[in-house]
Amino acid sequence: MTKEKFNDLRRQAEERLAGRERQIESLDQAELTKIAHELTVHQVELEIQNEELSRVHVEAGKARDRYLDLYDFAPVGYFTLDDHNRIVEANLTALKLLKMDTRRSLLKTRFTKYIYDTEGDRFYFHKMKTLESENGQTMELKMHKSDGTPFDAQLISVKAGPERLRIAVIDITEHKRAEELLRSEENFRRSIDNAPLGIRIASSDGETIYANRAISDIYGYASIEELTATPRKNSYTPESYAEHQVRKEKRQRGEYVPSNYEISIVRKHGEIRHLSVFRKEILWNGKMQFQVFYEDVTEKKRVEEKLRESESRLLQAQQTAHIGNWDWDLVTGNLYWSDENYRIFRLDPEKVTPSFEAFMAIVDSRDKEFVNQSIQAARDNKKPYDIDMRIIRPDGTEGVVNTKAVTKFDDTGKAIRMIGTVQDITERKLVEEEIHERNRQLAALQQVSQALTESVKLEEVAKLALETTINVLNMNAGTIRYLDEGTQELVLLAEFGFPLELALVILGNPRLKVGRGVAGKAVQMNKTLIVPDIRQSTDLIINASDYVDFQTCIGIPL
């Protein structure tokens, strides 16, 4: 009690006592003694009441402090809002919830400042419903802290007066995440139960914690219990079980084991199947376990084996027939060559990447334009092409290849792909040329034979024979002479192919002494004489100007 309050009470007591002093003066000693006793008792009572009031006051202070502690340090944030949604009271938890440093910085700010705009209407209707009801109202909404961090909040609101609210705010972000995780786990369990792949959850020791129905189907058992009751060794082929043991021992030693591998299993009735296995670590019922996927790849492996056999036969056929294949993506420019393509072109697949430029680099320069035109025509005219072309390989050897191709187009008519083959026809071309040459020679001989039967003039037969021989031997010019045994001179019968000036010289000197010139030397030696470069054989030159346009000469005695 303050000193002013005490003085005021004393003054009021003295004023009341002043009206009673005369009554006290008229009392005798016994009455005064009695009154004094009563006053003493009353004083003691007042002292006792005062002590009790002081104790109650102290307890009330302690209770108030406890309330303030409970209020400030409660696990939820408490806010009191005025009619404009301004925060007029808030506990310390509310400060921490919104990441504010002091109450001063939080008070008088609008509570809606920490609610996302998209949630504004929902909070308004929640407030109206709370003010209209005598009962508390609950809602969940998205809020954010002062630094923008979002969180999920649960609001429990009660009316605190006209247009005023008292709100308890609970951060339920983790609770929401737990619910979502639970829903995810439930969905996950449902999905793996019905998955076409075999899925098993196993401990680090390999014990089965969970397995879906597909596992039983893969192993051919009626239930998972029947499968797990079967000794593990009996479920593997011997080779695959040995590999399983190796993987298990490596894991126990902490060594690396690939997460993807294949196993061979023995089904309930003895059938062997091949499985692709993928193993990864997951959280299952709050513990780290292993999720193992099983895919039956038996049919896939059979198809792959047949494909390998088919590819092997195709490769052998290509090597035998010297036919390679290629596939050109006209959109990306990527080009594929088979192994036989590389062999035909004599290119190293480790060093040369297939490309149109690499292909054109080995095309003979005489055929480049023709090849380009053929490819363009196939794309423009939408027709297959079949052409022969000459190539020059990196080692300098020449060859001839035949290439066939078809062009693929998209819905708009744009060329998008070309697929074709390359065949080495060098040997075939050589044979064809040899046959052609022999046919040409045969035709020439037939002409000579026909001339011999139809003509009796030696000069005509000699001229035809000379012309035919020059064409057959791919020579430029020549003469035929006969030996005059009396004079030992070679007499001119016919000449062919010489320039006019040289022809006149030869015709003007029709006789040639045996031993002179290439023809005379050949007759003297009685054997064919080949002179690679007549200009370097001065002893055989009769007149240097006669041979200015020639190099190789052949003399043949008949």
Side-chain angles (χ1 to χ4, degrees):
M1 181 181 294
T2 63
K3 184 177 181 180
E4 289 139 1
K5 184 70 173 175
F6 179 79
N7 292 335
D8 185 53
L9 289 174
R10 182 175 181 81
R11 182 182 56 76
Q12 292 179 26
E14 288 177 350
E15 287 177 355
R16 291 184 182 183
L17 182 60
R20 299 178 184 176
E21 287 180 350
R22 294 178 183 175
Q23 295 178 0
I24 295 173
E25 291 174 356
S26 62
L27 296 175
D28 57 20
Q29 186 64 40
E31 289 175 331
L32 288 172
T33 301
K34 181 179 179 181
I35 290 172
H37 175 73
E38 291 178 354
L39 288 173
T40 302
V41 172
H42 187 61
Q43 181 181 2
V44 172
E45 289 178 348
L46 288 175
E47 289 175 352
I48 293 172
Q49 288 177 3
N50 187 51
E51 289 175 357
E52 182 64 20
L53 285 173
S54 296
R55 187 187 65 78
V56 169
H57 179 71
V58 171
E59 289 298 325
K62 291 180 179 179
R64 184 195 66 221
D65 292 341
R66 285 195 298 272
Y67 168 75
L68 289 176
D69 288 342
L70 289 173
Y71 176 75
D72 270 339
F73 299 105
V76 298
Y78 289 116
F79 298 85
T80 301
L81 311 185
D82 65 12
D83 54 342
H84 294 293
N85 294 326
R86 289 176 297 207
I87 301 171
V88 294
E89 291 180 4
N91 67 348
L92 291 178
T93 304
L95 297 182
K96 294 179 180 178
L97 185 64
L98 298 180
K99 288 193 174 180
M100 301 295 288
D101 296 328
T102 63
R103 280 192 176 90
R104 183 185 298 274
S105 61
L106 180 62
L107 298 181
K108 299 305 179 181
T109 61
R110 293 186 184 275
F111 183 74
T112 49
K113 175 182 177 181
Y114 306 100
I115 297 175
Y116 282 103
D117 293 340
T118 54
E119 301 277 42
D121 290 343
R122 292 183 61 238
F123 176 73
Y124 171 79
F125 288 115
H126 169 78
K127 176 182 177 181
M128 291 299 100
K129 190 173 182 180
T130 302
L131 293 175
E132 293 170 0
S133 173
E134 296 299 324
N135 301 319
Q137 301 295 320
T138 303
M139 77 171 299
E140 294 180 2
L141 81 168
K142 292 282 187 182
M143 296 184 66
H144 59 83
K145 304 178 187 294
S146 60
D147 63 357
T149 304
F151 67 97
D152 293 292
Q154 182 185 53
L155 274 57
I156 303 173
S157 305
V158 294
K159 186 177 180 179
E163 303 298 324
R164 290 171 70 93
L165 286 184
R166 187 168 289 117
I167 303 175
V169 179
I170 305 172
D171 186 345
I172 58 172
T173 304
E174 293 303 321
H175 176 70
K176 283 283 189 181
R177 289 175 181 168
E179 286 183 344
E180 183 62 31
L181 184 61
L182 181 61
R183 283 195 296 271
S184 298
E185 186 170 324
E186 289 174 352
N187 291 335
F188 171 70
R189 285 177 181 258
R190 283 195 295 270
S191 67
I192 64 176
D193 276 340
N194 301 315
L197 297 179
I199 302 176
R200 185 170 72 98
I201 307 300
S203 67
S204 57
D205 297 329
E207 297 301 319
T208 299
I209 300 171
Y210 163 85
N212 68 348
R213 289 189 292 271
I215 288 286
S216 302
D217 297 336
I218 289 173
Y219 281 85
Y221 288 89
S223 66
I224 294 298
E225 290 73 21
E226 185 182 6
L227 172 60
T228 54
T230 303
R232 180 165 297 172
K233 186 175 182 179
N234 296 351
S235 298
Y236 286 92
T237 62
E239 298 82 3
S240 192
Y241 182 72
E243 293 171 354
H244 163 73
Q245 290 294 97
V246 171
R247 287 192 296 271
K248 183 177 179 180
E249 291 169 2
K250 283 186 175 181
R251 292 190 187 106
Q252 290 173 347
R253 294 194 298 266
E255 297 178 14
Y256 169 75
V257 176
S259 58
N260 211 159
Y261 50 89
E262 288 190 1
I263 63 174
S264 297
I265 66 166
V266 180
R267 302 184 82 217
K268 181 178 180 180
H269 298 295
E271 181 187 2
I272 295 177
R273 307 289 290 182
H274 305 287
L275 308 182
S276 175
V277 181
F278 178 74
R279 189 175 187 265
K280 70 173 184 176
E281 200 172 19
I282 64 165
L283 185 66
W284 184 270
N285 291 335
K287 295 182 179 180
M288 295 308 298
Q289 309 290 3
F290 292 94
Q291 183 180 27
V292 190
F293 295 86
Y294 299 85
E295 180 185 6
D296 191 334
V297 294
T298 306
E299 295 305 320
K300 179 182 176 182
K301 289 181 77 67
R302 287 174 183 168
V303 171
E304 288 176 349
E305 181 61 30
K306 289 182 179 179
L307 181 60
R308 282 193 294 270
E309 292 176 358
S310 177
E311 289 176 346
S312 177
R313 287 194 294 268
L314 175 61
L315 181 60
Q316 291 175 0
Q318 287 187 344
Q319 290 176 350
T320 302
H322 298 296
I323 297 176
N325 64 288
W326 52 271
D327 191 335
W328 186 15
D329 188 329
L330 299 176
V331 178
T332 64
N334 293 334
L335 180 61
Y336 162 80
W337 285 346
S338 69
D339 291 343
E340 189 60 23
N341 278 47
Y342 283 100
R343 278 189 283 271
I344 292 172
F345 299 149
R346 297 183 188 173
L347 296 173
D348 186 349
E350 297 297 325
K351 298 179 180 179
V352 178
T353 300
S355 66
F356 180 71
E357 292 73 19
F359 167 69
M360 290 302 294
I362 63 173
V363 175
D364 192 306
S365 59
R366 295 169 292 178
D367 288 346
K368 287 184 186 292
E369 185 177 353
F370 163 67
V371 172
N372 268 318
Q373 290 174 350
S374 299
I375 294 174
Q376 193 61 46
R379 296 170 63 170
D380 294 342
N381 302 329
K382 299 184 179 181
K383 292 182 179 180
Y385 75 82
D386 183 346
I387 60 173
D388 295 344
M389 71 186 80
R390 291 166 289 187
I391 62 172
I392 300 177
R393 302 180 179 95
D395 60 7
T397 59
E398 297 182 2
V400 182
V401 298
N402 170 265
T403 179
K404 298 180 176 68
V406 293
T407 308
K408 301 294 183 181
F409 301 86
D410 62 14
D411 295 337
T412 65
K414 178 184 177 183
I416 58 173
R417 187 180 178 191
M418 293 188 79
I419 305 170
T421 60
V422 173
Q423 182 177 14
D424 187 347
I425 60 172
T426 305
E427 293 182 4
R428 190 184 81 188
K429 280 292 184 181
L430 290 175
V431 171
E432 288 176 353
E433 289 177 3
E434 184 177 352
I435 291 173
H436 175 72
E437 181 63 21
R438 289 186 178 182
N439 287 336
R440 190 169 66 86
Q441 293 174 5
L442 180 60
L445 291 175
Q446 287 175 343
Q447 285 182 340
V448 174
S449 177
Q450 183 177 1
L452 288 173
T453 58
E454 293 180 353
S455 176
V456 293
K457 292 183 179 181
L458 183 58
E459 291 82 359
E460 292 180 2
V461 175
K463 189 172 183 62
L464 178 59
L466 176 61
E467 183 178 345
T468 301
T469 302
I470 288 174
N471 288 333
V472 169
L473 297 178
N474 290 318
M475 303 296 281
N476 297 107
T479 62
I480 288 183
R481 298 173 183 269
Y482 72 90
L483 176 62
D484 184 342
E485 293 182 357
T487 63
Q488 288 296 301
E489 291 179 326
L490 298 177
V491 182
L492 182 67
L493 272 179
E495 65 81 22
F496 179 80
F498 289 100
L500 179 59
E501 296 82 357
L502 185 55
L504 292 174
V505 172
I506 293 172
L507 292 172
N509 298 276
R511 289 179 174 271
L512 180 67
K513 287 287 185 181
V514 174
R516 293 197 64 201
V518 177
K521 193 69 174 177
V523 171
Q524 186 182 51
M525 296 170 59
N526 196 27
K527 65 177 183 179
T528 300
L529 175 62
I530 301 176
V531 182
D533 191 346
I534 189 64
R535 292 166 297 185
Q536 302 299 322
S537 303
T538 56
D539 58 320
L540 297 177
I541 297 177
I542 300 172
N543 186 346
S545 62
D546 297 346
Y547 298 92
V548 69
D549 294 322
F550 302 101
Q551 180 175 347
T552 302
C553 292
I554 302 175
I556 306 174
L558 301 177

